[in-house]
């Protein structure tokens, strides 16, 4: 299908058809990025959650001291073992579960709560906008680390608490994105046209606003998962997150510090997984943003 | 060809993209000349190649564009010129005024500074001298209180004023040729008339040649000496404005005339339209590009593209079956007369 | 024949506050649109014509004045009653793509008003959508999205949507100004055809005079929030009474090239600080002291041809019998 020639009076330096043609070429490269990164993430998530169910894997905790300190590619322990005797590969898988659980939960909470609040603020404006934005400002004013520390001290560290603490960040972040996207939309003529067609406010929000701001929110979500995973890693590294001996990529890095010169792989392997996961999320997020911004 | 300020010969512009084989032929062999002091209008719809061909002269096309052919400005070949030489040439010899002054002016820079920048780009003068010249230029384009205007920002000026500033910038180094690319399209009709008059006045004063690029055939007919009509990257008709008004040969030009609402016509009279759309520039036909929409088309039109030739003195067209000598807007001199 | 006009706008005022001050976009505009006629409103940038269009449909509600459409004053109505009253009033906008939700398909866009006004069940609605798309020449495009359409096609979708409920009046706000000239002609012809086939009335707003005259029965000229002149199209163009109308006509390329600067000068003033008295006086070659002191009222002047030609000017270009008017003549000029 050849790109239609717009008859709009918009002289540019390059004919629209040429731009469209070039865009299609870029599109194929973009598709590759989408598939590669999405594919990688799907494989990783499936591995973390499903592998131990279908294929026996040594437990991530309670390892035997007899097997401590094995190097990678030892029989039965493909990534070796840590000083306490736990299988590193298994800990990577279970730690990955934590990362994804936290990353997705925090983002989902932000998307739903922040998204709804932000859209309402942007659409109704006025007093509603002011109130919601002040509430979000309060949330964002909490320093996350102090909050996490307080929660960990007061209630004891756990995965749930990490999710709560990080949500203090993600809700206002999504709120702002949703609000500015909605505001940008409000000025569009088709919104006025929808009102003049008689469409109710509720239907306008559901059928016009949401579908149009969704791409931005979803893209932000993917990038947000990456951020949340890193933050969880940092919190666990500081001992404020997932309590030992439960594995988390962050706490594995922290533990591995002690034996850095002797067994650097204990730090490098979880770092590598953390890095590659976040990069894949970013690549996917960018590629989807480009595609949806057409 | 002697005497011509600008000689374009068989200019072709192709856009190629990475990652796929399609070539887009934006300009498909254009040949014409511009003389000193002349006003030439190039008329066409979007996609006709009129803007691309002029930006090719100025070296303003993206790197994906391949330009072939010849464009000689006072003997100097512009195609293939190095960036440095092109920059010298731009502004000093040929200057351009664009459509949307709101976007062509830097919103964060004061107006005077932008004009002074243009002056200093081509001449070695002190800052103070450049500033003086900026004020002079504003006066030349009839902006009242030019000293005060110099320290204002573009958003503080109206559309017409901004366009005058653009013209002042273009004139900063006394170009021999000024290209106005849809320069009045975004303006109100009263402002458009004022700007057009300004351009003609400056042209007379400075002895410049003026090229008007527009989709508005009425504007071209009223203000230009010579009119070129472009379609699908080619020139389809060229004639002095007066001649064109009375004797249109190309059915496409005729269609353009008929589609424009005109004051003389009675209300509710249906406009003669032709259906279809211009051809895809990535897949230009072998024959005449206008053939699918032409009411006078015949088999030979599909077979080969008609060449542009001077069939009557001063009047060139590219058509196998041109229509008769009438049509257009009616004989000159009757335009706008009311009983 | 005293037939109640379809639309009666009276003393419509719309002002809004910005950082620069209060913008007096529309300052007391009154006119009627009769059933079956097309009233054209000509105005340049800053004239307030787009604000006028939006004020008529109550989006947003005007500061004051009345808009009586089919007997009901829209300004006084709220909620469901406004919705019902507005059913037969639709609008087509300037940017064909801007007025269509890019995520929706053509058939959903056209069906939207039918759903909002609950006209029949899904089958009836779908049938009507197909009918209307056929009417505008877009049969077969119902599953496309706006980005797959050309400018002319997109505008036709907007027109189909406007026509779906069988409205009485359609406001066209620069509806063809963004289109290429050949496509513009096609869409104009479509407007005329729909007018004949469906008995529509139009309020046609544009800045291009020839365009407005082409489609209109009567023409109103607007400047800086006020109407200068209203009358039958042919009349206004052949015998303009207001100096601004004259200036507009003189500015059309090809008419009187060199006269433009004699019939109008300077820049349009800001709508935040409009001139006192007659708003056009700062650019009018005929302005006198009275123009600064007193705002001219819209008066109907006997022209000897047809009635219904009014002008708001202290020194109109009054035609005397059939002799053409010389615009250099100034009546009663006193130094300002």
């Amino acid at each position: 299908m050849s790109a239609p020639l717009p008859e709009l009076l918009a002289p540019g330096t390059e004919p629209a058809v040429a731009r469209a043609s070039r865009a299609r070429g870029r599109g194929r490269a973009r598709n590759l990025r989408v598939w590669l990164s999405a594919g990688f993430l799907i494989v990783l998530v499936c591995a973390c959650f499903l592998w131990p169910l279908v294929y026996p894997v040594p437990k991530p905790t309670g390892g035997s001291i007899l097997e401590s300190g094995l190097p990678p590619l030892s029989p039965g322990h493909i990534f070796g073992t840590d000083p306490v005797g736990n299988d590193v590969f298994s800990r990577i898988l279970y730690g990955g579960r934590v990362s994804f659980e936290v990353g997705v939960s925090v983002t989902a909470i932000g998307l739903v709560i922040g998204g709804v609040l932000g859209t309402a603020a942007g659409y109704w404006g006025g007093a509603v906008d002011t109130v919601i934005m002040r509430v979000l400002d309060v949330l964002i004013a909490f320093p996350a680390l102090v909050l996490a520390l307080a929660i960990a001290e007061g209630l004891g560290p756990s995965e749930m608490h990490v999710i709560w603490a990080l949500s203090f960040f993600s809700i206002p972040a999504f709120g702002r994105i949703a609000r500015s996207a909605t505001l940008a939309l409000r000025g569009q003529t088709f919104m006025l046209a929808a009102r003049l067609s008689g469409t109710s406010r509720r239907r306008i929000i559901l059928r016009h606003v949401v579908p149009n701001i969704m791409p931005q929110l979803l893209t932000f979500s993917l990038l947000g998962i990456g951020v949340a995973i890193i933050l969880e890693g940092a919190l666990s590294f500081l001992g404020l997150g997932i309590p030992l001996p439960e594995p988390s990529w962050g706490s594995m890095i922290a533990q591995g510090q002690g034996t850095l010169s002797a067994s650097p792989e204990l730090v490098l392997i979880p770092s590598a997984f953390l890095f590659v996961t976040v990069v894949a999320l970013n690549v996917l997020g960018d590629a989807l943003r480009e595609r949806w911004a057409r | 060809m002697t005497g011509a300020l600008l000689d374009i010969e068989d200019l072709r512009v192709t856009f190629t993209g990475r990652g796929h084989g399609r070539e887009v032929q934006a300009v498909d062999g254009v040949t014409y000349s511009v003389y000193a002091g002349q006003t030439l209008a190039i008329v066409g719809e979007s996609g006709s190649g009129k803007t691309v061909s002029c930006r090719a002269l100025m070296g303003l096309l993206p790197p994906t564009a391949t330009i072939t052919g010849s464009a000689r400005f006072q003997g100097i070949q512009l195609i293939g010129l190095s960036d440095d030489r092109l920059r010298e040439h731009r502004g000093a010899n040929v200057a351009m005024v664009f459509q949307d002054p709101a976007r062509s002016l830097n919103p964060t820079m004061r107006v005077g500074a932008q004009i002074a920048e243009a002056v200093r780009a081509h001449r070695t003068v002190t800052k103070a001298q450049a500033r003086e010249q900026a004020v002079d230029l504003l006066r030349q384009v009839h902006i009242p209180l030019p000293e005060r205007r110099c320290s204002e920002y573009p958003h503080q000026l109206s559309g017409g004023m901004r366009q005058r500033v653009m013209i002042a910038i273009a004139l900063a180094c006394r170009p021999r040729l000024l290209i106005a690319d849809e320069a009045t399209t975004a303006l109100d009709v009263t402002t458009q008339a004022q700007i057009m008059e300004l351009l003609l006045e400056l042209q007379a004063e400075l002895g410049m040649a003026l090229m008007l690029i527009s989709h508005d055939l009425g504007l071209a007919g009223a203000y230009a000496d010579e009119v070129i009509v472009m379609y699908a990257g080619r020139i389809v008709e060229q004639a002095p404005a007066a001649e064109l008004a009375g004797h249109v040969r190309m059915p496409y030009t005729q269609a353009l005339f008929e589609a424009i609402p005109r004051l003389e016509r009675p209300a509710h009279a249906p406009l003669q339209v032709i259906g279809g759309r211009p051809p895809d520039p990535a897949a230009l036909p072998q024959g005449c590009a206008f053939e699918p929409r032409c009411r006078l088309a015949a088999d030979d039109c599909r077979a080969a593209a008609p060449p542009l030739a001077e069939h009557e003195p001063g009047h060139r067209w590219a058509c196998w079956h041109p229509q008769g000598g009438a049509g257009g807007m009616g004989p000159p001199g009757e335009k706008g007369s009311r009983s | 024949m005293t037939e109640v006009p379809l639309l009666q706008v009276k003393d419509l005022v719309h002002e809004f506050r910005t950082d620069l001050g209060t913008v007096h976009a529309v300052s007391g505009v009154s006119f009627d649109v009769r059933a079956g006629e097309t009233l054209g409103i000509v105005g340049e940038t800053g004239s307030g014509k787009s604000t006028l269009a939006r004020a008529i449909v109550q989006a947003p509600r005007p500061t004051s004045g009345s808009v009586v459409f089919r007997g009901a004053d829209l300004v006084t109505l709220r909620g469901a009653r406004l919705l019902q009253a507005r059913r037969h009033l639709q609008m087509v906008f300037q940017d064909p793509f801007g007025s269509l939700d890019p995520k929706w398909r053509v058939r959903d866009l056209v069906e939207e008003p039918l759903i909002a006004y609950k006209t029949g069940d899904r089958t009836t609605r779908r049938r009507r959508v197909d009918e209307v798309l056929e009417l505008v020449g877009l049969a077969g495009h119902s599953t496309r999205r706006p980005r797959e359409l050309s400018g002319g096609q997109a505008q036709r979708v907007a027109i189909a949507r406007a026509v779906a409920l069988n409205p009485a009046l359609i406001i066209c706000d620069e509806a063809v100004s963004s289109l290429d000239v050949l496509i513009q002609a096609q869409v104009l012809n479509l407007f005329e055809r729909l007018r004949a086939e469906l008995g529509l009335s139009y309020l046609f707003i544009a800045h291009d005079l020839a365009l407005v005259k082409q489609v209109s029965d009567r023409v109103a000229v607007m400047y800086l929030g006020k109407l200068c002149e209203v009358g039958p199209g042919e009349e206004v163009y052949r015998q303009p009474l207001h100096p601004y109308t004259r200036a507009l006509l003189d500015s059309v390329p090809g008419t009187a090239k060199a006269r433009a600067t004699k019939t109008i000068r300077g820049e349009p003033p800001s709508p935040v600080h409009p001139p006192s008295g007659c708003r056009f006086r700062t650019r009018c070659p005929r302005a006198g002291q009275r123009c600064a002191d007193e705002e001219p009222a819209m008066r109907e002047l006997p022209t000897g041809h047809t009635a219904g030609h009014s002008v708001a000017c202290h020194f109109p270009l009054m035609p005397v019998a059939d002799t053409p008017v010389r615009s250099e003549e100034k009546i009663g000029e006193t130094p300002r």
Side-chain angles (χ1 to χ4, degrees), chain C residues 58 66 91 108 122 135 152 171 198 200 227 249 300 315 332:
Chain C
Q58 311 297 307
S66 73
M91 198 150 147
D108 298 320
R122 193 191 171 91
L135 199 59
I171 301 181
L198 305 176
L200 292 170
L227 290 184
L249 288 167
E300 191 167 316
F315 308 112

Side-chain angles (χ1 to χ4, degrees), chain B residues 105-173:
Chain B
L105 290 175
N106 186 335
T108 61
M109 238 168 113
R110 291 182 210 268
V111 158
Q114 294 189 51
I115 305 178
E117 184 181 65
V119 171
R120 299 226 310 277
H122 294 279
R123 295 194 230 158
T124 39
V125 289
T126 63
K127 268 202 189 171
Q129 286 172 317
R131 167 107 190 174
E132 238 175 72
Q133 285 183 26
V135 175
D136 268 335
L137 285 164
L138 286 182
R139 201 170 288 127
Q140 233 184 341
V141 297
H142 301 311
I143 288 189
L145 305 169
E147 300 86 5
R148 218 179 69 175
R149 293 286 178 220
C150 267
S151 27
E152 283 181 1
Y153 287 95
H155 69 262
Q156 296 172 273
L157 306 176
S158 70
M161 294 252 253
R162 285 199 283 253
Q163 200 58 305
R164 288 173 198 267
V165 169
M166 286 298 302
I167 295 174
I169 292 178
L171 293 180
C173 300

